[in-house]
Amino acid sequence: MSAKRLKIIVTRRLPDPVELRLKELFDTELNQTDEPMDANQLGEAVKRADVLVSTVTDQIDGRILAQAGEDLKLIAQFGAGIDNIDVQSAVQRGITVTNTPGVLTDDTADVTMALILAVPRRLNEGIQLMLKGEFDGWAPTWMMGRRLTGKRLGIIGMGRIGQAVARRAQAFGLQIHYHNRKPVARHIEENLGATYWDSLDQMLARMDIVSVNCPHTPATFHLLNARRIDLMKPEAFIVNTARGEVIDEAALARALKAEKIAGAGLDVFEREPKVNPDLVGLPNVILLPHMGSATFEGRVEMGEKVIINIKTYADGHRPPDRVIPAIL
Ligand code: 8YV
């Protein structure tokens, strides 16, 4: 089949240059309204498409995949995380799944670092106060936060983004600690001055800031549950730019309200776009609307990766960013 005739259905609006190129290369159907597709619309899309370009807002589970037409051979996710796709079912049905790793690493690490800076230094409270015109003048005990230099940062998930966070944090004088399925290569550890903790529980009890940078998988669902949050120091902070599901959001809200931990910076939520109402309005919590990778440059590069994955597939090659399911 020539690449020109491949039927591509794109579930959300993508940056203009990406949509333009997809149109040039393939028989592409775009989502002009940018409304996320519901289960019926996704079912219809997988029936008609050769390639589905999906995003984090599409729940592509076994029920949707069961409706896939014979022609659906590739799901090219616009995004690094693929927890919205039942990859195992897809692969069992002969559908390749690809994602866009690497191009959103620095952008996501920047937002993580921004939260690591902003929460302990109470920037949100300062901004709110200025917006309300409540700055009455400097005082020695006014708006005191916590110093970063010399503190311990515990990174959960030392993949590309975790390492990029560690590089930034190192420059701010933080000591780098991490928990991962296995230690990273010795030279990476040495460059980052990073300490590996096999036991997440033990690491949590000793950290001043904990940053979640691991993917959401069955193994990481509610990894930070009530028991583990309880292990943390009362003056510790949590930052999450990975996936909301890694933290038990209700338990986190309870811990924050009870001052069992000192604050949190969250870019992702368990039931997006819903946010646990108990988290809203807490002075020591900064909430962002899943914008970790939201840069013009990054989103275009993500689109380019999607196109490269489709093009290599269309040309009869193995797409570079194939996702391999953990267990087949
Ligand atoms: C993306 C993300 O923007 O790539 C990811 O996994 O979480 C986001 O930052 C989003 O997934 C787009 O589909």
Side-chain angles (χ1 to χ4, degrees):
M1 179 188 284
S2 86
K4 190 71 194 159
R5 287 171 47 223
L6 272 188
K7 176 86 187 162
I8 315 282
I9 298 185
V10 185
T11 65
R12 299 296 302 270
R13 276 227 63 189
L14 301 181
D16 288 345
V18 177
E19 291 195 339
L20 204 68
R21 189 68 184 134
L22 280 168
K23 279 271 198 201
E24 275 170 15
L25 286 170
F26 312 107
D27 172 12
T28 302
E29 213 172 284
L30 300 171
N31 177 355
Q32 306 289 358
T33 67
D34 200 24
E35 283 292 318
M37 288 190 180
D38 62 20
N40 287 337
Q41 291 167 313
L42 279 173
E44 277 306 308
V46 294
K47 258 181 219 152
R48 295 190 297 112
D50 297 315
V51 178
L52 184 76
V53 176
S54 57
T55 76
V56 68
T57 53
D58 304 308
Q59 286 313 315
I60 306 174
D61 54 20
R63 213 167 59 81
I64 301 289
L65 289 166
Q67 300 171 61
E70 296 252 301
D71 294 334
L72 185 73
K73 287 284 174 278
L74 176 65
I75 298 175
Q77 168 93 342
F78 180 90
I82 37 85
D83 53 329
N84 58 304
I85 304 171
D86 182 343
V87 179
Q88 197 172 331
S89 298
V91 171
Q92 274 164 354
R93 288 176 175 276
I95 302 165
T96 299
V97 178
T98 58
N99 65 344
T100 62
V103 289
L104 37 78
T105 304
D106 288 322
D107 297 326
T108 309
D110 285 346
V111 168
T112 311
M113 198 61 223
L115 289 172
I116 291 173
L117 285 162
V119 179
R121 293 302 305 274
R122 305 174 61 183
L123 297 194
N124 189 34
E125 286 171 78
I127 292 167
Q128 297 307 322
L129 203 130
M130 295 304 281
L131 288 172
K132 288 189 222 144
E134 287 174 2
F135 179 39
D136 292 331
W138 185 90
T141 55
W142 177 238
M143 288 305 268
M144 292 186 295
R146 290 287 172 179
R147 174 187 288 165
L148 284 192
T149 309
K151 296 283 165 41
R152 292 172 161 207
L153 171 67
I155 297 174
I156 302 177
M158 199 58 141
R160 287 188 185 85
I161 297 174
Q163 289 174 36
V165 170
R167 282 196 296 278
R168 284 156 177 74
Q170 212 182 12
F172 282 88
L174 284 157
Q175 295 172 27
I176 312 300
H177 299 256
Y178 73 101
H179 170 76
N180 207 34
R181 276 173 306 172
K182 51 183 175 27
V184 296
R186 177 79 65 84
H187 71 277
I188 299 176
E189 259 190 6
E190 280 172 9
N191 280 343
L192 298 170
T195 304
Y196 175 67
W197 292 79
D198 186 37
S199 159
L200 176 59
D201 288 7
Q202 287 182 19
M203 181 177 91
L204 288 172
R206 290 163 179 82
M207 295 302 118
D208 300 297
I209 302 165
V210 170
S211 176
V212 178
N213 297 106
C214 62
H216 165 219
T217 66
T220 64
F221 177 76
H222 281 193
L223 191 65
L224 290 188
N225 54 19
R227 182 188 68 77
R228 288 210 169 100
I229 293 171
D230 223 34
L231 296 172
M232 293 176 60
K233 301 196 284 187
E235 61 272 23
F237 302 92
I238 292 183
V239 165
N240 186 5
T241 55
R243 282 293 181 269
E245 291 89 336
V246 180
I247 304 181
D248 178 343
E249 207 167 273
L252 175 64
R254 280 197 302 275
L256 285 161
K257 278 191 153 174
E259 297 180 11
K260 286 187 170 173
I261 59 169
L266 309 172
D267 182 47
V268 287
F269 304 91
E270 226 185 303
R271 291 171 198 83
E272 284 180 24
K274 290 200 180 82
V275 179
N276 185 323
D278 288 343
L279 288 171
V280 181
L282 294 178
N284 50 349
V285 176
I286 294 185
L287 306 176
L288 297 177
H290 197 149
M291 56 194 279
S293 73
T295 65
F296 289 103
E297 296 86 346
R299 292 285 157 88
V300 169
E301 286 173 14
M302 285 162 73
E304 276 167 6
K305 276 209 157 240
V306 167
I307 291 167
I308 289 165
N309 283 318
I310 302 174
K311 193 82 176 75
T312 40
Y313 161 74
D315 291 345
H317 303 287
R318 188 176 274 185
D321 303 309
R322 226 160 36 110
V323 177
I324 314 289
I327 316 145
L328 259 183

